[in-house]
Amino acid sequence: MASIKVDGQLVEVPDYYTLLQAAEAAGAEIPRFCYHERLSVAGNCRMCLVEVKGGPPKPQASCAMSVKDMRPGPNGEPPEMFTNTPMVKKAREGVMEFLLINHPLDCPVCDQGGECDLQDQAMAYGVSGSRFQENKRAVEDKYMGPLVKTAMTRCIQCTRCVRFITEVAGVPEMGAIGRGEDMEIITYLDKALSSELQGNVIDLCPVGALTSKPYAFNARPWELTKTESIDVMDAVGSNIRVDSRGREVMRILPRVNDAINEEWISDKTRFVWDGLKSQRLDRPYVRKGGKLQATSWDEALAAVAARLKKSGGKIGAIAGDLAAVEEMYALKSLLASVGSGMTDVRPPMSGIDPSMPRSAYVFNPTIAGIEQADAIVIIGANPRLEASLVNARIRKTWRATGLPIAVIGEQADLTYNYSYLGDSFEALADLAAGKGSFGEILANAKRPLIIVGESAVSHAKLGKQVGRDTIALAARLATAGKDVAPDWNGFALLHNAASRVGGLDIGFVPHDGGVCSADQIALAGKGELDVLFLLGADEYDMSAMGNAFVVYIGTHGDAGAHRADVILPAATYTEKSGTYVNTEGRVQVTNRAVFPPGGAKEDWAIIRALSGAIGQPLPFNSLTQLRAAIYAEFPHLARIDQIAPGSAADIAKLAKASIKTKSAPFGSAVTEFYLSNPIARASAVMGECAATAAGLRQAAE
């Protein structure tokens, strides 16, 4: 720690702090444009000037000078800096005047208006007029793809976007060309950006040079109602803010949570909002004469109730990727009331066994814990597509420490260097046996991190044993090192569906003689399953369900709705309060930002009404009562934003299982990032992104 005086106030800060950070620790406000806490220091906007006592007779850039560079007084007094002297005031006014020389007066028509750092700081630190009489320069707008809209005449060359794309996203496709007045920020080859995180440059841009193309001119920030919520596009559980106007979601922005997403979100999270209002199911439908026909809620519920009463308990239920804990618990209770234990939230033929401990299906080290790892093995996963923020965290750690990374599975561009060991179960078995140079690295690692993807534990054609053996070998890798830290649990299952961990936590898996999702569909195809509930489940083979009576409880006209005999329209994650458990086992809750369209209702309320229609009403009439029942049975779900830690001893037990699999391929569970769920497939923006990404891949080949 080092002592420094800021405007006469003595504070103690780490000696590696910059003067800007020290000033903020003392409560002084320092304006800035180029500086950002999560990016490297550029020091090129000069807005953060301060006066340093005993230093050169000129202002200093506080972002580029550290506390340890300061000289103490002649008698050993703490170094001193000032943030509000006449010199500093004059210097900031001069910098602001230069920044505004070429900046156009676009404020009335700029999408950044009301959220513009330049606008705010010009008012606070600028002068009242301009002395510049020459013609302003103009810069041609650039094409950056379907997501980022450019107005480069407004650009002040802070280079935040360049540093983010290069350092955080790991796709060095942006940079500055030219010098002086001719300097421009461009994509080098004048093509679309290929990063799944590119939308974050919109938040980073302190002026209106980079704005959201889909959101352009839709609304002003002061018109919007802001609701804090959770993202469900993947299993990361990124913290978001949903901005709405009336009954319509207008945009989605990130919230800061250093434990999960820091302050970034993926492009699918940010831009999927137009899919929330496209192809929506807003009224019940019943199939009559081979065609789905709109009907009333009473008639739809009566049709389902009639089939349930005749089923004799031959009923199954499959939960989709976006289902919340509340509706899964309600549906499980409904099936239990009619004597069925056929529920499943897992992919077909998943090796995650219901009897396994919780630590076998969560990301035990936590997402923030990635930064403590000293070696990483990725098995059957492409984290860049399956969990973009997890991939960004791995890259951040790799840049900071240079830790060794190995991949078994798809050989993809993950934005960091890694050792490729193969794409088969045999490569995993060899690594678990300590073979190869990476086997030696793991043997000496104190905090090894073994990331197992869902494609590695779910093999629809080869069966569940492959997944169980993969989990066992991964557990060996996580525990076999001779120097593994006693407080470290390095086994990490990376899910790609928001519903998965919550469903596993409440036991939405086969029980009491029930069978898994793949077997349910097989029974339906053979005519041995009378009724099949699809709780937003669209990622299954609908043609294999035979003549079973399919009830679809969902939000969009996707594959499940096309196959359904009865459609019961439900609410999306922005239209209900729902509990989700992310891949690391963290319990989080979404908040309603808008109401569902038309006659759509919350999923749990639909199931509760259906239970009344069959004469066996479930014991809750409100969301509060439902959650009370859930918390009574599963207390850890009441601890919001907390993680019930998994046991390293349980992982050690899994490692002792005998291995029966000889050979199996490993790939990735997500092949198309932008079209991975019904909401994304209904989004025109996501469709355009998918087409752009396909064009970029084709051009690269």
Side-chain angles (χ1 to χ4, degrees), residues 59-84:
Q60 300 292 307
S62 61
C63 71
M65 188 174 187
S66 64
V67 173
K68 62 185 175 185
D69 295 331
M70 297 277 284
R71 289 186 297 179
N75 300 314
E77 300 96 335
E80 197 163 356
M81 62 179 281
F82 301 95
T83 67
N84 54 9

Side-chain angles (χ1 to χ4, degrees), residues 391-675:
N391 197 65
R393 188 81 73 147
I394 295 172
R395 174 176 167 79
K396 176 184 177 183
T397 307
W398 171 76
R399 288 187 70 240
T401 66
L403 84 169
I405 302 172
V407 170
I408 301 174
E410 179 186 355
Q411 190 172 9
D413 177 11
L414 299 180
T415 72
Y416 40 80
N417 297 333
Y418 59 81
S419 301
Y420 185 63
L421 306 183
D423 63 353
S424 65
F425 186 88
E426 297 95 306
L428 175 59
D430 289 343
L431 183 61
K435 297 179 181 178
S437 58
F438 211 90
E440 297 177 10
I441 291 172
L442 283 180
N444 297 315
K446 293 182 179 179
R447 295 179 180 272
L449 173 56
I450 315 301
I451 299 176
V452 184
E454 277 197 334
S455 77
V457 299
S458 304
H459 290 264
K461 295 182 180 179
L462 299 178
K464 304 172 186 176
Q465 189 61 45
V466 178
R468 291 168 185 163
D469 289 345
T470 300
I471 290 172
L473 289 182
R476 290 183 192 178
L477 293 176
T479 57
K482 57 181 180 292
D483 295 322
V484 175
D487 61 340
W488 180 255
N489 183 350
F491 180 87
L493 196 63
L494 182 63
H495 294 278
N496 56 64
S499 64
R500 204 82 76 215
V501 177
L504 291 166
D505 275 356
I506 65 167
F508 201 87
V509 288
H511 58 281
D512 297 331
V515 296
C516 70
S517 58
D519 290 340
Q520 286 182 42
I521 294 173
L523 288 174
K526 293 187 290 185
E528 298 176 15
L529 192 69
D530 290 338
V531 180
L532 179 59
F533 282 93
L534 298 180
L535 187 59
D538 297 273
E539 319 303 324
Y540 294 84
D541 183 4
M542 302 296 166
S543 63
M545 296 177 183
N547 296 319
F549 187 82
V550 176
V551 181
Y552 182 75
I553 304 174
T555 60
H556 287 73
D558 210 79
H562 285 284
R563 170 59 186 85
D565 294 290
V566 174
I567 296 174
L568 304 176
T572 65
Y573 68 106
T574 59
E575 299 160 1
K576 64 185 176 185
S577 177
T579 303
Y580 290 88
V581 186
N582 77 346
T583 191
E584 58 184 353
R586 186 184 303 273
V587 183
Q588 301 186 106
V589 177
T590 63
N591 291 311
R592 175 191 283 156
V594 295
F595 286 91
K601 301 182 184 299
E602 293 186 38
D603 311 59
W604 72 266
I606 296 171
I607 297 164
R608 170 62 182 83
L610 182 56
S611 70
I614 63 173
Q616 300 193 42
L618 295 173
F620 46 80
N621 293 311
S622 67
L623 183 60
T624 303
Q625 292 175 353
L626 170 57
R627 284 182 172 163
I630 295 172
Y631 298 160
E633 194 170 347
F634 307 100
H636 73 280
L637 294 177
R639 296 190 282 272
I640 306 302
D641 201 33
Q642 295 184 36
I643 300 173
S647 168
D650 289 337
I651 300 300
K653 292 178 183 177
L654 290 173
K656 297 176 182 177
S658 59
I659 306 301
K660 301 175 183 177
T661 303
K662 301 298 181 185
S663 177
F666 289 148
S668 172
V670 176
T671 55
E672 183 50 76
F673 172 76
Y674 295 105
L675 304 175

Side-chain angles (χ1 to χ4, degrees), residues 169-186:
V171 183
E173 296 172 341
M174 288 182 72
I177 63 168
R179 301 183 65 182
E181 194 176 61
D182 296 325
M183 181 177 174
E184 297 182 28
I185 303 295
I186 66 165

Side-chain angles (χ1 to χ4, degrees), residues 163 206 227 230 299 320 338 367 378 386 400 456 464 510 530 602 665:
R163 283 175 284 149
T227 307
I230 303 299
E299 185 179 348
V338 294
I367 294 171
I378 301 172
E386 296 176 31
K464 304 172 186 176
D530 290 338
E602 293 186 38

Side-chain angles (χ1 to χ4, degrees), residues 118-183:
L118 184 64
Q119 204 174 49
D120 295 341
Q121 292 183 38
M123 291 293 293
Y125 304 102
V127 292
S128 59
S130 172
R131 294 175 289 173
F132 188 69
Q133 301 297 325
E134 308 299 322
N135 293 327
K136 291 177 180 279
R137 80 164 188 168
V139 181
E140 187 178 326
D141 292 344
K142 308 296 187 295
Y143 173 72
M144 293 188 181
L147 301 179
V148 181
K149 182 175 183 283
T150 63
M152 302 312 290
T153 299
R154 303 170 187 161
C155 179
I156 61 171
Q157 287 89 40
C158 71
T159 69
R160 279 187 181 182
C161 55
V162 175
R163 283 175 284 149
F164 173 83
I165 288 292
T166 304
E167 297 166 9
V168 179
V171 183
E173 296 172 341
M174 288 182 72
I177 63 168
R179 301 183 65 182
E181 194 176 61
D182 296 325
M183 181 177 174

